Amino acid sequence: MAQGTQASLKKSWYLLGPAFVAAIAYVDPGNVAANVSAGAQFGYLLLWVVVVANLLAGVVQYLSAKLGLVTGRSLPATIGRRMGRPARIVYWVQAELVAMATDVAEVVGGAIALRILFGLPLLLSGVITGVVSLLLLAIQDRRGQIIFERVITGLLLVIAIGFAASFFVKTPPPDAVLGGMVPRFRGTESVLLAAAILGATVMPHAVYLHSGLVLDRHGHPEQGPPRRLLLRVTRLDVVLAMAVAGAVNAAMLLVAAINLKRSSAPASIDGAYDAIHGTLGAVIAILFAVGLLASGLASSSVGAYAGAMIMQGLLHRTVPIVVRRLITLCPALAILALGFDPTRALVLSQVVLSFGIPFAVLPLVRLTSNRELMGSDANHPVTTAVGWAIALVISVLNMVLIWLTVAGG
């Protein structure tokens, strides 16, 4: 019995991985910009948003993975099968716009990191980020899914170390952290940043992607013990991956709250780097920049992977990855070339992402609640209620954001 349990545990650990690839979307440069801006402007006020967003993301990611394992199709493909051609094209357009907004965050973030580390111009740094992301995608194409997962998980470890290193030097006061767990806002800008944090955490392309990642890794398991094992492993995979992502996101906000709230440095990624350099030293600041660079490179490749899966699922078309990468790079490179404030562009890109979340989450909850489609693996009524509540909260927050922005403007 003990040997059988040990073998089962070893097999379970080997099956982990897809959620860690999806989790890269939750620690991308958009998260850095949103969390740094929130910590710099409001201190610990929006820490509760980071925690809630990661909890919501864990539920959504598990539902996406479950849909893929049970149906044998990705979320985009499952949605596409239930739409006529005109509806599929319209749905694909909004998903593609969300993918481009994602690329803005990832490429601009990587460019900022390269400028900080090597003094390169932003536009050149953006091009380098795009090229390296293509090389990472080539690993997945030529070496297979498992090697790609290991590379991305390694980059996730670099990201975690880079953003958490400052806590070995300066820790936040416990009472302030506890105060940040009380849900509240402070004006329009705090709502804007809350929407940005939410959009940077519950990312639409990651919701679409996870259903395909488990298929690429595990295939379509038969109903019975094989599927039950994979669903259990997937739950563990999601819990571990989101715990890492949540800790990293909280660390970003706390680092900014500690080092930027009363600092004269601007509420930007560059300002965070300068403040960390001034208060914690060059080594910690470089680790922060290296974490940002790893975040941009890894998330850019994962985002391109998701975009290709979305197109294949909805339009049943495959575009060469180089061509697709060049197209999705254009908005990010244009922003860099025109000289827009890169941190502000990152935050606004996350707000755009938050508007795309209901288009991914609402169909996901409906599909995973469908007993004709999911059989005995359909959502429990409580899970369904939680899923609808998540979609409702996100939608209401977006409507409040629009109203406050218009009223304030």
Side-chain angles (χ1 to χ4, degrees):
M1 179 67 72
Q3 289 181 347
T5 302
Q6 185 177 7
S8 177
L9 182 61
K10 182 178 180 180
K11 183 179 180 181
S12 297
W13 282 107
Y14 174 76
L15 294 173
L16 297 177
F20 284 85
V21 175
I24 285 293
Y26 298 102
V27 291
D28 77 347
N31 292 83
V32 182
N35 292 324
V36 165
S37 296
Q41 294 181 49
F42 297 101
Y44 306 94
L45 179 76
L46 297 178
L47 180 61
W48 68 273
V49 178
V50 174
V51 174
V52 169
N54 276 272
L55 291 174
L56 301 185
V59 175
V60 171
Q61 289 305 133
Y62 174 69
L63 293 182
S64 176
K66 183 172 76 167
L67 178 73
L69 289 172
V70 173
T71 66
R73 292 187 296 272
S74 68
L75 176 58
T78 307
I79 293 172
R81 286 170 64 93
R82 285 162 169 71
M83 290 181 173
R85 180 172 174 79
R88 279 192 290 114
I89 292 175
V90 171
Y91 194 91
W92 170 76
V93 168
Q94 68 80 26
E96 198 66 39
L97 290 174
V98 165
M100 287 188 176
T102 302
D103 231 20
V104 167
E106 293 155 352
V107 174
V108 171
I112 293 173
L114 286 171
R115 181 182 66 183
I116 290 172
L117 288 169
F118 305 110
L120 299 176
L122 277 176
L123 183 58
L124 174 60
S125 299
V127 172
I128 292 173
T129 301
V131 170
V132 174
S133 70
L134 271 176
L135 297 177
L136 291 174
L137 286 170
I139 292 175
Q140 191 274 338
D141 185 51
R142 297 187 179 184
R143 301 296 300 274
Q145 182 74 12
I146 295 179
I147 299 299
F148 179 70
E149 286 177 5
R150 290 174 180 171
V151 171
I152 295 299
T153 302
L155 288 172
L156 178 60
L157 179 61
V158 173
I159 295 166
I161 293 172
F163 291 125
S166 64
F167 289 107
F168 292 99
V169 180
K170 191 174 183 180
T171 57
D175 57 334
V177 173
L178 290 175
M181 297 300 293
V182 178
R184 63 196 190 281
F185 295 108
R186 192 183 299 155
T188 304
E189 184 67 13
S190 68
V191 179
L192 173 68
L193 287 172
I197 291 170
L198 195 63
T201 305
V202 189
M203 297 189 76
H205 80 282
V207 179
Y208 296 123
L209 176 65
H210 205 160
S211 57
L213 285 171
V214 293
L215 288 175
D216 289 345
R217 175 67 184 275
H218 304 307
H220 183 203
E222 297 179 4
Q223 188 173 10
R227 184 182 295 174
R228 286 197 297 271
L229 171 63
L230 283 175
L231 288 174
R232 285 198 303 271
V233 171
T234 297
R235 282 194 290 271
L236 176 62
D237 200 21
V238 170
V239 168
L240 293 175
M242 294 313 302
V244 173
V248 172
N249 279 315
M252 294 175 193
L253 187 145
L254 293 173
V255 166
I258 294 169
N259 297 288
L260 282 178
K261 185 65 172 69
R262 294 178 178 84
S263 169
S264 59
S268 65
I269 293 176
D270 293 277
Y273 172 81
D274 291 338
I276 292 170
H277 191 283
T279 58
L280 303 180
V283 173
I284 300 299
I286 290 174
L287 287 174
F288 175 86
V290 169
L292 176 64
L293 178 59
S295 169
L297 296 177
S299 59
S300 187
S301 62
V302 170
Y305 189 170
M309 184 177 295
I310 291 167
M311 176 176 283
Q312 175 63 33
L314 290 171
L315 301 185
H316 311 298
R317 293 180 181 274
T318 302
V319 174
I321 196 67
V322 174
V323 175
R324 178 179 175 80
R325 198 75 193 95
L326 291 174
I327 293 172
T328 56
L329 272 174
C330 288
L333 295 181
I335 287 172
L336 295 175
L338 294 173
F340 288 109
D341 175 13
T343 299
R344 188 64 176 175
L346 281 171
V347 172
L348 292 177
S349 74
Q350 302 312 292
V351 176
V352 172
L353 287 178
S354 73
F355 286 98
I357 295 169
F359 292 97
V361 175
L362 289 171
L364 175 64
V365 175
R366 183 176 181 180
L367 290 168
T368 52
S369 304
N370 187 336
R371 290 205 168 271
E372 291 184 6
L373 178 68
M374 302 291 290
S376 61
D377 293 307
N379 294 341
H380 187 279
V382 173
T383 305
T384 300
V386 170
W388 287 123
I390 291 171
L392 179 63
V393 166
I394 294 168
S395 301
V396 169
L397 180 59
N398 287 333
M399 288 187 287
V400 171
L401 171 64
I402 294 173
W403 183 80
L404 288 175
T405 303
V406 172

